[in-house]
């Protein structure tokens, strides 16, 4: 059954990926109508998030952010399809790096780097980073239920030299590189909401106390990785630019959670600058009222 579904759907997806971006954006405009107005995909989640994060904004302002987000969301969907067959020339034109020398300095020194990023703008096209730096690049991905589509997605992300590993095997992947002394750069998307039972750190995000993943900081300290923030902005439709900011080049020497706090502050700043391009459809604040419950769970006393 998996192969049958794949055989029926994939040829259509492949043909779509071969279309010029201008045609894909026409399809995106049509998709927006269905996603936002007809199916109302996660509209409640999006508006709940915007109400939490921007209480000072008017209802009309938040409505405009939401509409722009959904337009970008359907664009991102088509851009992900385009990644299946996009050329090296086109990806370099559409996805640029503002200050690659910041990363290249440490790469030339033989150091490995943890790039921390958020679900902002277009994180899928960051798989082109090996074209910018002369270094092996790796990142986690969540496997799909259909093994045939899973291979397509993985192959798409690895077209320009990016190497994928399953999310559940993150620590194992780092250990393998550490043991073999293989220099790598790692992309770590760090703004997901962790499971409550696995939470170890809470911090305010837009004034709301929520749990944060600290995996990037823990891995950086363990394997002595340089930590850099990747802030990706949308310049115009179909064009992006990533700027690197050094968070720490000596992670073992900084206080616990200082790296995570710097990442949170940089992420907030980026979202404030372009709020319409953050992934408001995921439930980032679902544990916001569970801090006391978490303390009892972990038997933490005041």
């Amino acid at each position: 059954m998996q192969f049958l579904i794949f055989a029926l759907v994939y040829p259509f997806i492949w043909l779509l990926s071969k279309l010029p971006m201008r045609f894909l954006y026409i399809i995106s405009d049509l998709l927006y109508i269905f996603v936002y107005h007809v199916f109302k995909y996660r509209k409640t989640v999006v508006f709940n998030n915007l109400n939490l994060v921007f209480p000072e904004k008017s209802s009309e302002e938040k409505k405009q952010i939401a509409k722009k987000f959904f337009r970008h969301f359907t664009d991102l969907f088509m851009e992900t399809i385009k990644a299946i067959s996009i050329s090296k020339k086109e990806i370099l034109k559409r996805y640029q790096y503002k200050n690659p020398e910041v990363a290249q300095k440490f790469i030339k020194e033989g150091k490995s780097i943890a790039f921390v990023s958020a679900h902002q703008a277009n994180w899928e096209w960051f798989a082109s980073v090996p074209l910018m730096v002369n270094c092996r690049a790796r990142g986690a991905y969540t496997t799909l239920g259909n093994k045939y589509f899973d291979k397509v997605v993985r192959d798409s992300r690895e077209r320009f030299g990016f190497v994928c590993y399953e999310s559940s095997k993150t620590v194992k992947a780092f250990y393998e590189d550490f043991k073999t002394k293989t220099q790598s750069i790692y992309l770590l998307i760090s703004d997901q909401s962790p499971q409550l039972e696995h939470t170890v750190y809470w911090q305010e995000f837009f004034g709301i106390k929520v749990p944060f993943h600290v995996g990037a900081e823990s891995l950086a300290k363990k394997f002595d990785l340089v930590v850099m923030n990747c802030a990706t902005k949308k310049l115009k439709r179909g064009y992006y630019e990533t700027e690197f900011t050094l968070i720490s080049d000596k992670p073992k020497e900084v206080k616990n959670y200082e790296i995570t706090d710097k990442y949170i502050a940089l992420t907030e700043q980026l979202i404030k600058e372009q709020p319409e391009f953050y992934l408001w459809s995921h439930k980032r604040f679902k544990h916001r009222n569970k801090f006391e419950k978490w303390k009892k769970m972990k038997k933490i006393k005041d």
Side-chain angles (χ1 to χ4, degrees):
M1 181 59 73
Q2 283 192 1
F3 179 75
L4 178 61
I5 294 172
F6 174 77
L8 291 172
V9 176
Y10 179 67
F12 175 70
I13 294 175
W14 184 83
L15 287 172
L16 278 179
S17 77
K18 289 293 186 177
L19 292 175
M21 291 303 303
R22 62 182 180 275
F23 290 113
L24 292 179
Y25 287 136
I26 292 173
I27 297 172
S28 176
D29 289 340
L30 294 173
L31 277 178
Y32 163 75
I33 295 172
F34 285 96
V35 171
Y36 184 80
H37 293 286
V38 180
F39 298 113
K40 300 180 180 180
Y41 174 76
R42 292 206 167 196
K43 279 183 72 172
T44 300
V45 173
V46 171
F47 278 100
N48 284 345
N49 284 338
L50 292 175
N51 287 331
L52 286 169
V53 171
F54 301 119
E56 76 285 358
K57 292 186 182 295
S58 67
S59 297
E60 182 58 31
E61 286 175 312
K62 284 178 278 193
K63 183 178 180 180
Q64 290 306 311
I65 292 173
K67 284 186 173 182
K68 289 178 181 178
F69 159 71
F70 277 104
R71 288 189 180 278
H72 170 69
F73 183 77
T74 54
D75 278 1
L76 182 61
F77 178 71
M78 300 312 298
E79 289 164 3
T80 301
I81 290 176
K82 184 63 180 178
I84 294 173
S85 63
I86 194 169
S87 68
K88 177 180 176 181
K89 180 180 179 181
E90 187 167 12
I91 195 70
L92 287 174
K93 180 180 73 173
R94 292 181 173 276
Y95 199 101
Q96 299 179 356
Y97 299 89
K98 184 176 182 179
N99 54 345
E101 67 279 359
V102 175
Q104 289 170 338
K105 170 183 179 295
F106 294 103
I107 291 169
K108 289 178 181 178
E109 294 174 2
K111 296 182 179 180
S112 292
I113 303 173
F115 285 132
V116 289
S117 181
H119 285 94
Q120 179 80 8
N122 186 327
W123 54 93
E124 288 289 341
W125 283 1
F126 189 83
S128 66
V129 71
L131 299 176
M132 182 274 296
V133 295
N134 185 25
C135 184
R136 182 170 180 258
R138 305 189 75 180
Y141 81 105
T142 303
T143 56
L144 302 179
N146 186 305
K147 64 180 181 181
Y148 301 101
F149 281 114
D150 184 71
K151 186 178 185 303
V152 169
V153 172
R154 182 166 181 160
D155 288 348
S156 173
R157 292 176 178 174
E158 294 185 338
R159 291 182 65 241
F160 301 114
F162 199 79
V163 180
C164 294
Y165 55 83
E166 293 180 29
S167 299
S168 60
K169 298 178 180 178
T170 296
V171 177
K172 182 181 179 181
F174 277 73
Y175 265 116
E176 288 174 350
D177 288 349
F178 184 74
K179 288 179 179 179
T180 58
K181 297 182 179 179
T182 302
Q183 184 187 21
S184 296
I185 58 176
Y186 306 93
L187 174 61
L188 300 168
I189 306 287
S190 303
D191 63 336
Q192 300 98 327
S193 184
Q195 294 178 340
L196 205 60
E197 60 269 25
H198 296 151
T199 295
V200 297
Y201 184 61
W202 293 68
Q203 182 55 280
E204 288 193 352
F205 189 47
F206 286 96
I208 305 163
K209 198 164 190 175
V210 291
F212 267 91
H213 279 292
V214 295
E217 177 171 339
S218 299
L219 291 166
K221 285 178 175 288
K222 190 174 190 65
F223 299 108
D224 197 26
L225 307 173
V226 175
V227 185
M228 286 190 183
N229 185 69
C230 301
T232 303
K233 292 184 178 180
K234 191 171 187 174
L235 304 179
K236 60 181 180 178
R237 198 175 200 182
Y239 290 85
Y240 301 90
E241 183 180 71
T242 291
E243 182 176 7
F244 300 124
T245 300
L246 178 65
I247 291 181
S248 177
D249 59 347
K250 296 177 181 177
K252 293 184 177 182
E253 298 180 13
V254 301
K255 296 178 181 177
N256 286 340
Y257 309 125
E258 184 176 316
I259 289 171
T260 301
D261 285 346
K262 287 183 178 179
Y263 161 75
I264 294 169
L266 288 167
T267 299
E268 272 197 28
Q269 177 184 331
L270 177 63
I271 294 170
K272 288 176 181 177
E273 291 174 7
Q274 292 192 325
E276 63 270 34
F277 303 135
Y278 185 61
L279 189 63
W280 297 110
S281 56
H282 71 167
K283 299 179 180 180
R284 184 65 192 84
F285 303 96
K286 62 184 178 182
H287 296 314
R288 67 186 183 278
N289 297 319
K290 299 178 182 178
F291 182 62
E292 294 301 323
K293 177 182 177 180
W294 172 79
K295 286 200 299 182
K296 290 179 180 179
M297 183 188 303
K298 297 293 183 178
K299 298 180 180 179
I300 297 174
K301 297 180 179 180
D302 293 324

